[in-house]
C-alpha cells in the first residue's frame, strides 16, 4: 500500500478518490490464461496489421504477453513518455475519465473479462485498458492527441438524459460481465438501458465529442482506406473485432469530423463501419476544430442553455474572470432570448483563474447563487474596469445605500460592504440589506443575508465540472477498494496453475505431471477448451506424448460443437500452439 500511496500523491487531489488498489494477487491462473490467449492471438495478428508503434509500445509500457501487467510497473514505464497509469474501479464518469487523460494519467480498470467473454466485453477490463490503450501512447503525436482530447473532453457538457443513460450502460455492462446474476436481472438492466437510450432526444457536445473519441482512440484506423492500420484500443484488445476490422465486412470511411460526430455507436455490438485518418496530426486539428464550437469557447446564452440542460455541476465564467461553479437551475431571458439573470441550486462556489475565492466556497453558498448579466443603464464601460475611486461616480461607496439599474430591467438596492478584486479586476461587490428584482419578481431579499453581486456584463465560457476541482470536490467520498476475497482455487484453476508453473519453471517429472493433468482434465472437465490448448502447446514445444496431443485435439473437436464461438477460438488457439 505504501507504493500505492506514493503513486496516488502524484495524481491531482480531486482524482485521487477514484484510485483503488489493483490487488494483483486476486488474479487466478484462469485469469492469466485468458490474458495470455488474447495477447498471443493479438500479438500474432497485430504485428503486421497495427500501427508500427504497437509492438514496441507493449514492451515500453511494461506489458508482457505471458501475464497480466502490474499497474504500478506500467506507471513507472510510461513516465518517460509523459504518462502515468492509475488503477480505477471500472466505469467512471466521462468528465472524470477525460480529466485523468488530460493530466497524462491512463485510468485502468483492474478486472479482467471472464473466459466465456474472451473475445469481447463491453465492461472496462485490463486487457482493453492496458494492452489496448497504453502501447500507442508511446507514439509522440498520438500521445499529444489523447492528452489534448482529455483537456477538451473534460469540459464537455452532457444533457441530464445522457447522464442517466451512462448510469444505465454502466449497470448493464457490469451485469453482462458479472456471471453471477440471473437472466431476469440482465433483461431488466437491458430494458432500462433501452428506455434511457430512447429518452435521449438531443445530441449534446459531450455525446458528439464521445463519438469523436470512440471512432479514433477506441476504434480508429490510420493510413488509407485501402491499406489501413489499427491504432484504436477497442480493436487492439479484441480477438474478434481486431481481425474483422480489416476485412471487407467492415466498411472503411475516410476520416471526416462532421461525419464522425454525426455517427453514433453501440458498445454492446461489433462496429459496422470504421474511420481511417491520414495521420495523428489530422486528429489534433479535428479536436481543436470541434473545441472551437463548444460552450467553453463560445460562452453566452448558448453555453448557459447547455449547462441548464445538463443539470450537473458546471462552471460559468464572466468577462471579469469571475467563475461560478454549481448546478444551473434557472435562466431568465429578455425579449431577444438573451440571458439577463442566472441562478444555481445547491452548493456553489466562486473562483478566479481556477482558484476558489477565500470565503466563497460551498459552505458560504450552500443554497445556490444568483447573478445578473449585462450592462448598467447608461454605462458602456465594463464595471470590472472601474477603480475604487471611480465607483463613487456610480454611487457605489462602502457603507452607503446605493441603487444599480441594469439595461435588462434588473434592479438592485442595498449597502455595499466589501469589494473583491483580482489582477486589478473588480469581481464582486458584497451588499447587505439588499433587494434584487426584475419585472415585479423579487430575486433576492434582505432576509436572505448578504448578496454577492457578480461583476461582468457577458459570459465568456461555460464548461462541465468545477473551476477549482481540488476544493469543490474535496468532501466527496473516496471509492473504497473492494475487500480482497481470497478463496481456495477450484480444482480446474489448480490445473491451470500447474500448467503455468510447468511452462515457466519446468518440472523434474515432466511427463508424469503432464499425464496427471491430462487425465484429470479428460475425466472431470470435458468442456474446458483453453487448458487443453495450453497443454497441447507444451507437448508440441517439448515434442513429447504425441498420442496425448491427438487425444486432446479429438476432445477439442467435440468441444467445438458446444458453442458457436468455440470453433474459431479453438482453431486459432491450436494454430499458435502447434506453430
Amino acid at each position: 500500500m505504501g507504493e500505492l500511496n506514493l503513486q496516488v500523491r502524484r495524481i491531482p487531489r480531486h482524482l485521487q478518490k477514484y484510485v483503488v488498489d489493483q490487488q494483483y494477487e486476486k488474479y487466478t491462473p484462469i485469469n492469466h490464461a485468458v490474458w495470455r490467449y488474447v495477447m498471443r492471438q493479438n500479438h500474432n495478428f497485430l504485428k503486421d496489421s497495427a500501427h508500427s508503434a504497437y509492438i514496441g509500445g507493449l514492451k515500453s509500457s511494461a506489458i508482457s504477453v505471458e501475464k497480466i501487467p502490474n499497474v504500478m510497473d506500467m506507471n513507472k514505464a510510461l513516465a518517460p513518455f509523459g504518462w502515468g497509469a492509475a488503477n480505477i474501479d471500472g466505469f467512471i464518469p466521462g468528465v472524470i475519465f477525460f480529466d485523468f487523460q488530460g493530466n497524462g494519467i491512463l485510468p485502468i480498470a483492474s478486472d479482467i473479462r471472464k473466459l466465456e467473454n474472451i473475445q469481447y466485453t463491453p465492461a472496462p477490463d485490463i486487457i482493453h485498458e492496458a494492452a489496448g490503450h497504453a502501447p500507442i501512447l508511446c507514439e509522440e503525436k498520438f500521445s499529444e492527441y489523447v492528452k489534448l482530447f482529455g483537456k477538451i473532453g473534460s469540459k464537455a457538457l452532457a444533457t441530464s438524459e445522457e447522464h442517466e443513460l451512462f448510469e444505465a450502460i454502466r449497470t448493464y455492462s457490469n451485469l453482462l460481465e458479472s456471471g453471477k446474476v440471473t437472466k431476469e436481472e440482465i433483461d431488466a438492466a437491458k430494458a432500462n438501458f433501452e428506455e434511457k437510450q430512447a429518452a435521449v432526444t438531443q445530441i449534446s457536445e459531450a455525446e458528439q465529442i464521445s463519438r469523436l473519441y470512440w471512432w479514433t482512440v477506441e476504434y480508429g484506423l490510420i493510413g488509407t482506406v485501402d491499406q489501413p492500420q489499427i491504432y484504436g484500443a477497442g480493436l487492439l484488445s479484441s480477438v474478434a473485432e481486431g481481425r474483422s476490422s480489416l476485412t471487407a465486412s467492415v466498411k472503411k470511411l475516410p476520416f471526416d469530423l462532421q461525419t464522425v460526430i454525426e455517427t453514433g455507436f453501440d458498445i454492446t455490438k461489433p462496429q459496422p463501419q470504421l474511420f481511417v485518418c491520414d495521420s495523428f496530426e489530422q486528429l489534433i486539428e479535428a479536436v481543436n476544430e470541434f473545441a472551437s464550437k463548444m460552450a467553453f469557447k463560445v460562452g453566452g446564452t448558448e453555453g448557459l442553455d447547455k449547462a441548464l440542460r445538463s443539470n450537473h455541476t458546471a462552471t460559468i465564467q464572466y468577462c471579469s474572470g469571475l467563475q461560478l461553479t454549481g448546478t444551473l437551475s434557472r435562466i431568465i431571458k429578455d425579449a431577444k432570448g438573451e440571458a439577463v439573470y442566472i441562478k444555481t441550486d445547491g452548493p456553489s462556489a466562486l473562483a478566479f483563474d481556477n482558484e476558489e475565492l477565500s470565503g466563497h466556497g460551498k459552505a458560504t453558498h450552500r443554497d445556490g447563487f444568483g447573478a445578473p448579466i449585462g450592462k448598467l443603464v447608461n454605462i458602456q464601460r465594463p464595471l470590472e474596469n472601474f477603480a475604487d475611486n471611480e465607483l463613487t461616480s456610480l454611487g457605489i461607496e462602502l457603507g452607503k445605500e446605493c441603487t444599480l439599474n441594469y439595461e435588462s430591467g434588473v434592479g438592485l438596492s442595498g449597502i455595499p460592504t466589501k469589494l473583491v478584486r483580482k489582477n486589478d479586476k473588480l469581481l464582486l461587490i458584497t451588499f447587505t440589506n439588499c433587494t434584487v428584482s426584475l419585472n415585479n419578481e423579487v430575486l433576492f431579499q434582505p432576509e436572505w443575508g448578504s448578496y454577492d453581486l457578480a461583476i461582468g456584463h457577458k459570459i465568456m465560457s461555460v464548461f462541465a465540472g468545477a473551476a477549482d476541482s481540488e476544493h469543490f470536490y474535496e468532501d466527496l467520498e473516496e471509492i473504497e477498494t473492494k475487500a480482497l476475497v481470497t478463496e481456495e482455487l477450484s480444482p480446474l484453476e489448480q490445473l491451470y496453475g500447474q500448467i503455468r508453473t510447468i511452462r515457466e519453471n519446468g518440472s523434474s517429472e515432466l511427463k508424469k505431471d503432464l499425464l496427471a493433468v491430462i487425465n484429470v482434465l479428460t475425466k472431470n472437465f470435458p468442456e474446458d477448451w483453453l487448458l487443453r490448448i495450453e497443454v497441447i502447446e507444451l507437448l508440441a514445444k517439448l515434442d513429447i506424448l504425441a498420442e496425448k496431443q491427438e487425444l486432446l485435439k479429438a476432445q477439442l473437436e467435440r468441444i467445438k460443437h458446444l458453442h458457436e464461438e468455440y470453433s474459431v477460438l479453438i482453431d486459432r488457439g491450436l494454430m499458435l500452439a502447434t506453430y
Side-chain angles (χ1 to χ4, degrees), residues 244-422:
S244 66
S245 68
L246 299 184
T247 67
S249 65
V250 178
K251 189 176 182 180
K252 316 297 188 304
L253 300 171
F255 178 87
D256 172 73
L257 176 60
Q258 193 60 35
T259 305
V260 165
I261 64 175
E262 290 175 355
T263 305
F265 58 88
D266 184 342
I267 70 168
T268 66
K269 298 177 182 177
Q271 306 309 311
Q273 78 282 306
L274 298 171
F275 294 90
V276 187
C277 67
D278 298 332
S279 64
F280 294 137
E281 286 86 351
Q282 183 185 19
L283 301 185
I284 292 172
E285 291 175 7
V287 74
N288 278 321
E289 180 183 343
F290 182 82
S292 68
K293 300 174 183 177
M294 289 174 63
F296 86 96
K297 289 283 191 179
V298 175
T301 301
E302 178 184 342
L304 292 171
D305 283 337
K306 291 181 179 181
L308 185 66
R309 289 195 297 269
S310 174
N311 196 34
H312 275 64
T313 301
T315 295
I316 299 161
Q317 183 168 320
Y318 281 78
C319 55
S320 62
L322 178 69
Q323 296 166 312
L324 165 62
T325 295
T327 301
L328 187 62
S329 59
R330 187 183 181 193
I331 305 173
I332 301 177
K333 299 180 180 180
D334 61 17
K336 296 180 180 179
E338 291 298 321
V340 297
Y341 198 91
I342 57 175
K343 187 179 185 308
T344 64
D345 273 351
S348 303
L350 301 176
F352 178 81
D353 197 21
N354 300 322
E355 290 188 10
E356 186 174 285
L357 295 178
S358 177
H360 289 282
K362 292 191 295 184
T364 300
H365 303 291
R366 61 184 177 273
D367 298 319
F369 189 89
I373 305 166
K375 293 180 178 179
L376 295 173
V377 173
N378 297 325
I379 305 295
Q380 292 304 308
R381 184 182 172 193
L383 189 57
E384 62 265 26
N385 292 333
F386 277 68
D388 288 4
N389 60 341
E390 294 175 308
L391 291 175
T392 57
S393 65
L394 304 178
I396 302 174
E397 292 186 62
L398 296 184
K400 294 185 178 181
E401 179 98 24
C402 77
T403 298
L404 300 177
N405 292 306
Y406 285 79
E407 291 178 342
S408 63
V410 173
L412 177 152
S413 63
I415 301 172
T417 59
K418 185 179 180 181
L419 307 177
V420 176
R421 293 183 179 276
K422 289 286 183 181

Side-chain angles (χ1 to χ4, degrees), residues 22-262:
Q22 184 180 9
Q23 297 179 327
Y24 193 83
E25 59 273 26
K26 73 184 176 187
Y27 298 118
T28 69
I30 293 180
N31 292 151
H32 285 286
V34 167
W35 169 274
R36 185 172 183 270
Y37 177 90
V38 174
M39 291 303 296
R40 278 169 56 81
Q41 291 293 319
N42 286 352
H43 189 278
N44 179 66
F45 172 71
L46 294 169
K47 69 181 187 297
D48 301 315
S49 55
H51 185 277
S52 58
Y54 175 73
I55 296 298
L58 284 174
K59 183 177 180 181
S60 297
S61 54
I63 295 176
S64 164
V65 170
E66 293 296 319
K67 62 181 181 179
I68 297 169
N70 188 307
V71 175
M72 291 290 188
D73 294 337
M74 291 184 63
N75 183 56
K76 296 174 185 175
L78 288 168
F81 304 98
W83 281 85
N87 206 85
I88 53 119
D89 184 28
F91 274 107
I92 55 177
V95 167
I96 300 300
F97 178 82
F98 287 135
D99 208 352
F100 268 103
Q101 294 196 334
N103 281 282
I105 303 162
L106 178 64
I108 297 177
S110 65
D111 291 339
I112 185 166
R113 64 196 65 177
K114 298 191 180 321
L115 178 54
E116 53 265 35
N117 297 332
I118 195 168
Q119 296 216 71
Y120 173 76
T121 174
D125 87 323
I126 196 165
I127 295 178
H128 173 81
E129 307 286 353
H133 281 289
I136 310 295
L137 290 178
C138 300
E139 205 283 335
E140 184 178 0
K141 278 297 172 184
F142 183 72
S143 171
E144 180 184 340
Y145 171 63
V146 176
K147 277 187 184 177
L148 176 63
F149 203 113
K151 292 182 183 300
I152 293 171
S154 65
K155 297 180 182 297
L157 290 160
T159 64
S160 59
E161 292 84 3
E162 287 168 347
H163 286 293
E164 292 179 8
L165 176 60
F166 167 78
E167 294 299 332
I169 290 173
R170 173 164 62 178
T171 300
Y172 179 43
S173 299
N174 286 340
L175 286 178
L176 287 176
E177 183 60 35
S178 170
K180 297 179 181 179
V181 295
T182 65
K183 181 180 182 300
E184 289 73 20
E185 288 176 301
I186 291 177
D187 288 345
K190 182 181 180 182
N192 182 54
F193 155 63
E194 291 173 345
E195 178 186 335
K196 297 300 183 185
Q197 191 172 46
V200 176
T201 57
Q202 294 178 311
I203 304 300
S204 69
E205 63 182 25
E207 170 61 20
Q208 289 181 320
I209 202 169
S210 72
R211 292 174 178 182
L212 178 56
Y213 189 87
W214 182 265
W215 296 121
T216 58
V217 179
E218 293 291 355
Y219 278 84
L221 299 175
I222 188 170
T224 66
V225 170
D226 296 326
Q227 289 186 308
Q229 288 186 311
I230 298 169
Y231 73 88
L235 301 174
L236 294 175
S237 60
S238 170
V239 175
E241 279 204 274
R243 290 175 180 269
S244 66
S245 68
L246 299 184
T247 67
S249 65
V250 178
K251 189 176 182 180
K252 316 297 188 304
L253 300 171
F255 178 87
D256 172 73
L257 176 60
Q258 193 60 35
T259 305
V260 165
I261 64 175
E262 290 175 355

